Amino acid sequence: MGRVVVVGAGVIGLSCAVRLLEAGHRVDVLARDLPQETTSAVAAAIWYPYRAWPTDRVLPWARDSYGVFASIAADQPGSGVRMREGTEVVAQPSGLVREKPWWADAVPDLRETVEVPGGYDGGWTFTTPLVEMPVYLDWLAGQVLALGGSITRLNLHGLPVTGHGGPDAVVDCSGIGAKFLAEDPSVHPVQGQVVLVEQVGLERWWLDSAGIEGPLNVVPRSHDIVVGGTSVEGEWSRTPSPEVASSILRRALRLVPELAGAEVLGHRVGLRPARPEVRLERVGDVVHCYGHGGAGVTLSWGCAGEVAELLG
Ligand SMILES: Cc1cc2nc3c(=O)[nH]c(=O)nc-3n(C[C@H](O)[C@H](O)[C@H](O)COP(=O)(O)OP(=O)(O)OC[C@H]3O[C@@H](n4cnc5c(N)ncnc54)[C@H](O)[C@@H]3O)c2cc1C
């Protein structure tokens, strides 16, 4: 037990802070951007292991997180987490054998679907956590405070130094910021743009993760629907493009015709913190936990549990 500074107040930093507080540590979260200002706040967010590696570590993290989200959905009505059925559609040349996705073991009710919208050859239907991030991040931050932790805005120019009056350990959950804080050149942005439209009574989610024109997802929330998106390697801009928004909506309409006429409520851009592999390792008194790409929400509880284990 000791004093731990967690750098970062996105979904990874806050989840790690919760698990460390539960383990009896004193935890202070320091972050340049507060939860609602992070990339995490832009996420759709659907449980789905997208753009995160290596699969042998990602799968158990994803499976653990699925279980925790299912419990939160059942026990915490104000958390913004709901379990919802939906379909991932697949387009592939006919004649190919459709293999189960590599993450199939992590979801309890995955089944093949043949009735899909035009332009697709089949799909997978399953129940998955939908995490309404603006609500969930407030709930998660509330958990940190309720457990005795603190969250403070601070722009760091390097990771805090441990010992000599500093913390006993540091957990680096700085997302894309790890490029500079951890001096890790392999961290890079994968820009994603989404359009928020009015809720038109949609209950099911839809996903086309491998669309030729980019990934596409339609994720219903309580008061709106997140329609995404894009996946642009190496792009640092956070400015939404009107042309990209039109293209996203055009593609989404083909998949979910109920969206026709839905009022556009807003536009968001986030930078997925990508890396060839998620970095979750202890180096001396520092635990690095970043590089979750397009799956930070999906992996959050699994990774947070492992971080807490590494600090004993
Ligand atoms: C459009 C879009 C859709 C997505 N959809 C999904 C989805 O459906 N499901 C899913 O699982 N994932 C999704 N993701 C991915 C997910 O958002 C990320 O993987 C996740 O948010 C990463 O969380 P994080 O806490 O590591 O980083 P962030 O949320 O970026 O948080 C990083 C924190 O570190 C802090 N920090 C950085 N540098 C410094 C510094 N120098 N000093 C102090 N603090 C610093 C930041 O201020 C911030 O608080 C999506 C992403 C995008 C962009």
Side-chain angles (χ1 to χ4, degrees), residues 8-12 32-33 38-40 44-46 154 156 174 293-298:
V11 70
I12 299 295
R32 183 191 56 215
D33 308 295
T38 61
T39 296
S40 300
I46 184 170
L154 194 62
L156 297 168
S174 55
V297 182
T298 306

Side-chain angles (χ1 to χ4, degrees), residues 21-296:
L21 285 158
E22 287 169 348
H25 299 282
R26 238 186 84 199
V27 178
D28 299 304
V29 178
L30 304 179
R32 183 191 56 215
D33 308 295
L34 294 178
Q36 298 295 344
E37 304 156 355
T38 61
T39 296
S40 300
V42 178
I46 184 170
W47 178 102
Y48 186 87
Y50 176 67
R51 292 192 70 102
W53 299 274
T55 52
D56 62 327
R57 294 186 84 194
V58 164
L59 184 57
W61 291 330
R63 192 189 288 121
D64 285 1
S65 304
Y66 188 108
V68 176
F69 281 127
S71 306
I72 294 174
D75 302 337
Q76 305 281 342
S79 62
V81 183
R82 291 166 305 142
M83 302 301 286
R84 281 283 182 276
E85 192 178 272
T87 299
E88 174 176 18
V89 291
V90 182
Q92 58 188 23
S94 54
L96 276 185
V97 177
R98 192 175 295 131
E99 284 180 15
K100 274 194 172 183
W102 59 269
W103 43 263
D105 285 353
V107 295
D109 64 348
L110 185 88
R111 58 199 185 278
E112 199 173 342
T113 309
V114 283
E115 284 189 20
V116 287
Y120 295 99
D121 298 306
W124 300 101
T125 291
F126 55 101
T127 303
T128 199
L130 299 189
V131 186
E132 191 158 345
M133 294 308 285
V135 178
Y136 180 64
L137 288 169
D138 274 353
W139 178 83
L140 205 50
Q143 299 297 301
V144 172
L145 302 181
L147 287 162
S150 71
I151 302 172
T152 305
R153 187 191 292 280
L154 194 62
N155 187 7
L156 297 168
H157 298 289
L159 290 174
V161 178
T162 56
H164 312 292
D168 299 302
V170 170
V171 181
D172 170 17
C173 306
S174 55
I176 197 85
K179 187 171 191 67
F180 311 103
L181 281 184
E183 297 180 11
D184 184 341
S186 70
V187 177
H188 61 280
V190 174
Q191 184 211 50
Q193 179 167 336
V194 299
V195 185
L196 307 181
V197 303
E198 69 173 317
Q199 188 37 291
V200 289
L202 196 70
E203 285 285 323
R204 295 175 64 84
W205 54 267
W206 291 90
L207 172 66
D208 172 9
S209 66
I212 302 168
E213 295 176 75
L216 185 62
N217 57 42
V218 177
V219 180
R221 306 198 294 194
S222 46
H223 301 297
D224 59 8
I225 301 171
V226 185
V227 184
T230 54
S231 223
V232 187
E233 288 277 345
E235 177 58 63
W236 284 93
S237 168
R238 292 177 197 256
T239 306
S241 147
E243 292 78 28
V244 169
S246 303
S247 150
I248 292 172
L249 288 173
R250 199 176 52 245
R251 288 189 288 133
L253 212 54
R254 286 204 299 263
L255 183 60
V256 187
E258 297 99 300
L259 293 177
E263 188 189 344
V264 172
L265 304 177
H267 303 271
R268 302 276 185 280
V269 173
L271 305 180
R272 299 180 184 89
R275 195 174 184 272
E277 297 194 344
V278 175
R279 186 176 187 197
L280 201 175
E281 65 171 340
R282 181 172 179 166
V283 181
D285 296 328
V286 177
V287 177
H288 295 281
C289 185
Y290 61 81
H292 298 82

